[in-house]
Amino acid sequence: MRGVLKYQVRHTPYTMGHDKRRVKWHSEGQIRVTLWSNRKHLTREMGEDTRDGTQSSWFKITIPFGKKYDKTWLMNSLQSHCSVPFTPVDFHYVQHRARFFVQDASAASALMDVSYKICDEENKKIPIFVNTSAVPYSVRDKLAPEKMEQLKLTMSKRYEVSRKALDLQSLRYDPDLVGHGIDIILNRRNCMTAALQIIKMNFPELLSLDLHSNRLFQLDGLSDITQMVPTVRILNLSKNELNSTWELGKIKGLKLEELWLEGNPLCDTFPDQSTYVSAIRKCFPKLLRLDGRDLPPPITADVDRPDLIKPYKERYEGSDVVKSLVLQFLQQYYLIYDSGDRQSLLGAYHDEACFSLTIPFNPNDPDPSSLFEYFKYNRNMKNLKDPNLRFQLLKHTKRDIVCSLSVLPKTQHDFSSFILDTWFQSESMIFVCVNGVFKEVEGRSQGSVRAFSRTFIATPASNSSMFIVNDELFVRVATTCESQRAFSITVPTPSCSSEPTLSQEQQKMVLLFSMQSGMKPQWSQKCLQENEWNYTRAAQVFTMLKMKGTIPEEAFKQIP
């Protein structure tokens, strides 16, 4: 059996080299590429000798443009579609490709059968190429048994049982290894593979791994940790030579809660701390501490799933249900919007959603520059005559929308100012309008209060949630009265005079905790005080107690 593919070409044809394809000219400026069939071809090539005179039983699996796929997603997709279980060896990215090896002809043949049968999130079919290969480096250069035994003894001395923590800091210079003439350089794939194998066999419940000061400049070898030691929650990579967050993407399958990166060149590539935190959290959404500093708890509507919107299946049972749903949605949406990491709003939008921004048209405005940061995104039809520009300013797809939202000024919305209306709903759609005020928290207009009106049109999704399909935002300068009333409502403090008055920062913490937890301000304040105003710890305690059902019902706010 032969598979036939056609490709348009404009340049001189070339031969395909060692991968056993045949290339022929075809009519109308095309070439015909004939791929050898799976099993027959692989079985025949298994008999070919390698350079060292032994028969090859290794196969190289290549995914063109595989660099854009997360390793965990790609491996899970291949495993679920492949008819034969396989063990990937030496998974790594080469330029734009993803590559790994298998040592089983039946698995290699089955993987070739999966080619063009897996679709990515853009609904593009993923090709898979299979070729015979020499023995992979990590296997060919595998540590000798006596070296493995000494490395195991050295790592055992560095393991702390009570904390389930392994300290591999400056491992190369460990006296026990140097004294035996063993050179362990963790940048080498065979060395990192050996270390991970020892961890998997001897410390399978490892929680904390310290790789401080190992001169790591790439994490290809460490990427196997997501399958071999997925229990790791604390990882120290400080004082290495990592230059890009791309390297961190190779291990983002870990559910890290604490990460250390200080002392790596990549830390100097960000303009400020918030941008740095945002970039790292894209790889590790559940991260609670970075470089020893507590982070605000990750904002999600559900602990186990990334959807921002709460389940929507009961929306037709009465107006109270719809009201509760809308309030939860708006709280989650604007808490994320104000957090500084608006990329997390991707889950709130439909793939083909639209967004537009409008500011007032007033030719007599004495200060037309007061909304200058919004002007270039303004799609007001009164003063926008160019049809091409009108089309460009109407943002399509959720990625374009979130990119547009991310460049708008950072904000803090006044939840107490919100006026809501759900003026239309059906089985397939709901219209939500919200009016209120916010202030800008940085830049040339820092402290300026703006009034806004926003209309969301949302539709149910297949997983009983809902997505925004249309988002229209109108922004104007707040009136003097609106500015005076903005952020004027404070959290009530205990009436007892012996209790200290809350600071402004503590009041904000109480208000935010109350919105996220659903508890009344007094109970939120109590939870924060009992945890010494450590927001992360208070959130963890709240989650644990709520799961146990020990929080009384009167602690929670009632939806009016």
Side-chain angles (χ1 to χ4, degrees):
M1 181 183 72
R2 292 179 177 179
V4 178
L5 303 174
K6 293 182 180 180
Y7 294 92
Q8 291 284 351
V9 294
R10 297 181 180 177
H11 304 289
T12 305
Y14 59 90
T15 58
M16 293 293 183
H18 67 279
D19 61 353
K20 302 296 187 293
R21 303 181 194 179
R22 292 179 178 175
V23 184
K24 295 182 179 179
W25 282 104
H26 193 57
S27 60
E28 300 179 358
Q30 296 177 332
I31 58 172
R32 183 182 296 271
V33 182
T34 304
L35 303 180
W36 288 106
S37 67
N38 303 345
R39 293 177 175 79
K40 184 177 180 181
H41 173 54
L42 291 176
T43 302
R44 185 177 68 249
E45 286 204 346
M46 278 209 41
E48 296 182 359
D49 290 341
T50 57
R51 293 178 182 177
D52 60 3
T54 60
Q55 285 191 338
S56 171
S57 61
W58 284 94
F59 299 87
K60 178 174 63 179
I61 316 299
T62 304
I63 296 93
F65 302 103
K67 185 175 181 179
K68 65 181 181 179
Y69 304 125
D70 171 60
K71 175 185 175 181
T72 303
W73 176 85
L74 188 58
M75 288 295 98
N76 288 342
S77 299
L78 291 175
Q79 295 277 10
S80 63
H81 285 79
C82 190
S83 60
V84 177
F86 67 92
T87 302
V89 176
D90 271 8
F91 181 97
H92 59 288
Y93 297 98
V94 182
Q95 295 178 342
H96 297 290
R97 303 182 293 275
R99 180 175 292 167
F100 63 93
F101 300 85
V102 295
Q103 192 186 15
D104 183 356
S106 60
S109 179
L111 281 165
M112 183 174 276
D113 285 343
V114 175
S115 185
Y116 291 102
K117 293 182 180 178
I118 300 174
C119 293
D120 60 18
E121 61 178 6
E122 297 175 355
N123 205 32
K124 293 182 179 179
K125 294 183 178 180
I126 300 175
I128 300 167
F129 296 105
V130 180
N131 300 100
T132 54
S133 170
V135 180
Y137 289 120
S138 64
V139 178
R140 186 182 65 193
D141 300 332
K142 189 174 181 180
L143 295 185
E146 60 272 15
K147 291 185 178 180
M148 283 290 288
E149 185 62 27
Q150 184 58 48
L151 180 58
K152 173 184 172 182
L153 293 174
T154 302
M155 291 172 61
S156 297
K157 291 182 179 180
R158 289 167 166 254
Y159 181 66
E160 187 177 339
V161 178
S162 60
R163 293 176 50 239
K164 297 181 180 179
L166 180 61
D167 179 5
L168 298 185
Q169 179 179 165
S170 303
L171 183 63
R172 181 180 184 181
Y173 304 105
D174 189 288
D176 288 344
L177 296 175
V178 174
H180 288 80
I182 300 175
D183 198 10
I184 298 296
I185 301 176
L186 293 180
N187 265 318
R188 296 176 180 170
R189 180 178 288 274
N190 64 323
C191 293
M192 183 65 81
T193 299
L196 291 177
Q197 287 173 346
I198 291 172
I199 294 173
K200 182 179 180 180
M201 295 299 295
N202 299 276
F203 322 118
E205 298 180 353
L206 185 70
L207 294 178
S208 176
L209 178 61
D210 188 348
L211 294 172
H212 179 284
S213 300
N214 277 288
R215 296 186 178 180
L216 296 173
F217 59 84
Q218 51 82 19
L219 299 179
D220 286 349
L222 188 61
S223 65
D224 292 332
I225 195 173
T226 57
Q227 275 82 36
M228 299 177 72
V229 201
T231 56
V232 171
R233 295 294 179 266
I234 302 172
L235 180 62
N236 191 338
L237 293 171
S238 57
K239 294 192 177 180
N240 280 293
E241 299 175 11
L242 301 174
N243 289 293
S244 170
T245 54
W246 164 249
E247 294 299 327
L248 298 178
K250 298 172 183 178
I251 58 170
K252 67 180 183 180
L254 288 178
K255 298 178 181 180
L256 292 183
E257 297 175 0
E258 183 172 345
L259 177 64
W260 295 75
L261 290 171
E262 59 183 3
N264 282 278
L266 71 85
C267 298
D268 299 325
T269 63
F270 300 96
D272 52 52
Q273 181 70 12
S274 62
T275 307
Y276 170 52
V277 172
S278 176
I280 303 305
R281 254 198 171 153
K282 289 177 184 177
C283 296
F284 309 106
K286 295 185 178 182
L287 202 64
L288 301 177
R289 286 173 62 84
L290 179 60
D291 296 333
R293 299 178 182 175
D294 288 338
L295 301 179
I299 303 171
T300 56
D302 193 291
V303 174
D304 299 319
R305 43 185 273 194
D307 306 290
L308 293 176
I309 315 303
K310 288 290 186 179
Y312 197 46
K313 60 177 66 176
E314 296 179 347
R315 59 189 177 280
Y316 314 116
E317 294 183 5
S319 59
D320 288 342
V321 175
V322 174
K323 185 188 300 183
S324 176
L325 170 73
V326 170
L327 288 172
Q328 290 175 358
F329 159 63
L330 290 175
Q331 286 179 358
Q332 290 294 330
Y333 184 93
Y334 282 106
L335 284 171
I336 294 174
Y337 190 94
D338 291 344
S339 70
D341 180 15
R342 293 175 186 165
Q343 287 294 322
S344 299
L345 291 172
L346 277 170
Y349 286 91
H350 188 275
D351 290 341
E352 302 300 324
C354 291
F355 167 76
S356 63
L357 168 67
T358 304
I359 60 176
F361 173 74
N362 185 0
N364 300 318
D365 188 350
D367 185 16
S369 64
S370 58
L371 292 170
F372 71 96
E373 292 186 83
Y374 302 89
F375 185 79
K376 61 182 176 181
Y377 310 108
N378 177 30
R379 198 172 175 270
N380 192 326
M381 305 294 281
K382 281 190 175 182
N383 60 348
L384 193 61
K385 306 302 182 183
D386 184 349
N388 292 326
L389 186 56
R390 283 204 302 266
F391 179 78
Q392 292 174 15
L393 292 175
L394 182 62
K395 302 301 178 182
H396 294 269
T397 77
K398 63 181 182 181
R399 297 191 181 277
D400 285 346
I401 292 172
V402 174
C403 285
S404 299
L405 296 177
S406 296
V407 299
L408 295 178
K410 293 184 179 179
T411 58
Q412 179 185 352
H413 284 76
D414 181 4
F415 288 88
S416 64
S417 71
F418 282 14
I419 300 174
L420 311 180
D421 187 16
T422 55
W423 49 276
F424 176 82
Q425 67 178 100
S426 69
E427 293 187 359
S428 60
M429 199 167 293
I430 182 171
F431 288 59
V432 179
C433 184
V434 55
N435 297 273
V437 298
F438 65 85
K439 66 180 177 182
E440 297 180 15
V441 296
E442 67 176 25
R444 289 172 56 184
S445 300
Q446 183 174 354
S448 298
V449 178
R450 313 296 190 196
F452 76 96
S453 178
R454 198 161 191 172
T455 300
F456 296 107
I457 302 177
T459 186
S462 59
N463 58 352
S464 299
S465 62
M466 71 180 188
F467 290 133
I468 300 169
V469 295
N470 194 75
D471 179 3
E472 298 177 4
L473 173 61
F474 174 78
V475 178
R476 62 175 173 82
V477 176
T479 64
T480 303
C481 184
E482 287 172 329
S483 298
Q484 291 174 346
R485 289 201 307 263
F487 302 96
S488 60
I489 299 178
T490 58
V491 178
T493 57
S495 57
C496 179
S497 59
S498 61
E499 291 287 341
T501 303
L502 299 185
S503 66
Q504 186 175 3
E505 186 65 29
Q506 289 172 332
Q507 291 180 16
K508 291 180 180 178
M509 287 178 66
V510 172
L511 183 59
L512 181 62
F513 197 93
S514 177
M515 289 178 175
Q516 288 190 295
S517 66
M519 290 198 302
K520 297 175 182 177
Q522 295 88 342
W523 285 83
S524 298
Q525 177 182 328
K526 184 174 183 293
C527 185
L528 286 164
Q529 284 176 329
E530 290 179 353
N531 289 279
E532 300 177 344
W533 295 96
N534 184 316
Y535 197 102
T536 301
R537 188 165 62 200
Q540 293 172 338
V541 170
F542 166 78
T543 302
M544 179 183 67
L545 294 178
K546 187 177 181 182
M547 290 176 64
K548 293 181 177 179
T550 57
I551 303 177
E553 291 186 5
E554 60 266 24
F556 293 93
K557 294 178 285 188
Q558 300 295 320
I559 301 297

